[in-house]
Amino acid sequence: MLGAAMMLCLSTPVRAQEEPPVAKGNRTRGLVGGWGHSWRPIFGQTTSEITFGAFHPRMGWFITDRLELYGEATLFVYDRPHTAVAAGLGGLSGRYYLKTNGGWLPYVHAGSGLLWTLLDVPEIDRIFNFQLFMGVGWRQNRAAGPCLVFEFRNHHISNAGTAGENRGINAATFLTGVEWVLRP
């Protein structure tokens, strides 16, 4: 069903005069999903090989023409190093749009929240953790209907120094999905 929705979005012609700008007061609703793999950025200590599927239902509110505050739920289904799940809330998140009109709207985003995980790896020594994420994305801009969304993010999980060694996990995550922009 998601594939059919994406094909519909890609096959529908979008002309510049039909593309309303995003603006203060607009709201968004959507669902994105994708795949993540652990990695070791310059500031990280991740050594375990971890892969997972990610799912994020979300809703947002434009507080200015370029700034959207949003919240998203987090569900990870790990398949490596073993089967496990993680669930939480990225309740404090924001996107800054680099442009407000056109066929595709690029943005940068960041967020934080809480996460409960059953993943048993040396980098995490608690069930209750915090999550931080940041990255870039592109949203299709349409007058009505679903808009495609593509994102890349670094997703960090750690206990924020509340217990143990606190090495944390960093994962490069690729997400795609659909969102609706609800204009007043």
Side-chain angles (χ1 to χ4, degrees):
M1 184 184 264
L2 182 60
M6 287 183 189
M7 291 304 294
L8 177 65
C9 289
L10 289 174
S11 65
T12 305
V14 179
R15 293 191 260 328
Q17 62 269 26
E18 296 176 358
E19 299 162 353
V22 292
K24 180 179 177 180
N26 292 161
R27 298 192 182 278
T28 59
R29 304 292 183 268
L31 175 64
V32 296
W35 176 83
H37 191 283
S38 60
W39 71 305
R40 187 177 179 150
I42 297 167
F43 56 85
Q45 298 179 13
T46 305
T47 56
S48 299
E49 185 175 344
I50 301 167
T51 60
F52 58 89
F55 304 95
H56 302 283
R58 56 172 60 153
M59 46 193 273
W61 307 268
F62 279 88
I63 59 169
T64 71
D65 289 351
R66 291 189 181 266
L67 182 61
E68 176 189 7
L69 295 181
Y70 72 98
E72 66 180 30
T74 301
L75 175 63
F76 292 150
V77 179
Y78 295 95
D79 66 343
R80 193 178 290 167
H82 55 82
T83 304
V85 295
L89 181 65
L92 181 60
S93 309
R95 291 189 257 208
Y96 182 80
Y97 288 84
L98 303 175
K99 62 184 221 175
T100 59
N101 56 18
W104 288 91
L105 306 177
Y107 58 85
V108 294
H109 66 101
S112 63
L114 306 173
L115 191 76
W116 288 265
T117 183
L118 300 175
L119 187 64
D120 184 21
V121 293
E123 292 87 352
I124 298 179
D125 52 6
R126 295 182 64 165
I127 292 174
F128 172 76
N129 290 279
F130 298 94
Q131 59 178 331
L132 297 171
F133 51 90
M134 64 188 85
V136 297
W138 296 265
R139 177 194 285 149
Q140 185 182 30
N141 189 23
R142 300 181 57 194
C147 301
L148 292 177
V149 177
F150 299 98
E151 287 185 0
F152 169 78
R153 64 170 61 169
N154 177 60
H155 197 277
H156 175 80
I157 302 170
S158 74
N159 66 29
T162 58
E165 198 175 330
N166 189 40
R167 291 171 40 196
I169 296 172
N170 287 292
T173 308
F174 300 92
L175 301 167
T176 186
V178 294
E179 288 187 352
W180 286 262
V181 177
L182 309 174
R183 295 174 170 90

